[in-house]
């Protein structure tokens, strides 16, 4: 989660970061969102939950940072796409 915070810090006050990794058939996801985007409706916990469902997992966290795990590593690209779509919907 430290990596997500560092990347988010480089994006400025309007940033959201979604990181995903697959190892040994399992998936790890981390979402970090700046406080300014939280105010606009983008919540890390909601984003990571939606992405985790795609990979057969679950997770959660705070509005600014959240993590999740899943069982289907082959669907990691789809999970990242789902996270991006969830962020875009929240910003509309």
């Amino acid at each position: 989660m430290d990596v997500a915070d560092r990347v988010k810090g480089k994006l400025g006050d309007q940033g959201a970061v979604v990181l995903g990794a697959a190892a040994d058939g399992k998936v790890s996801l981390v979402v970090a969102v700046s406080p300014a985007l939280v105010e606009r409706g983008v919540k890390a916990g909601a984003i990571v939950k939606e992405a985790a469902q795609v990979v057969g997992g679950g997770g959660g966290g705070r509005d600014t940072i959240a993590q999740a795990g899943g069982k289907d590593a082959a669907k990691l690209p789809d999970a990242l796409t789902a996270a991006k779509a969830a962020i875009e919907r929240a910003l509309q």
Side-chain angles (χ1 to χ4, degrees):
M1 293 202 332
D2 185 48
V3 172
D5 274 335
R6 282 188 275 149
V7 172
K8 181 184 72 173
K10 293 182 184 222
L11 294 176
D13 67 344
Q14 296 286 326
V17 176
V18 179
L19 301 175
D24 300 321
K26 296 183 180 180
V27 176
S28 295
L29 297 163
V30 176
V31 177
V33 178
S34 68
L37 282 187
V38 170
E39 289 179 16
R40 293 178 58 192
V42 180
K43 304 206 189 277
I47 303 302
V48 84
K49 282 181 186 177
E50 190 166 329
Q53 287 179 350
V54 175
V55 291
R62 295 176 285 152
D63 287 347
T64 56
I65 192 149
Q67 62 183 3
K71 302 172 190 167
D72 192 346
K75 291 188 178 177
L76 177 57
D78 296 333
L80 296 174
T81 299
K84 179 182 177 189
I87 293 167
E88 291 171 344
R89 276 194 313 276
L91 290 172
Q92 290 180 353

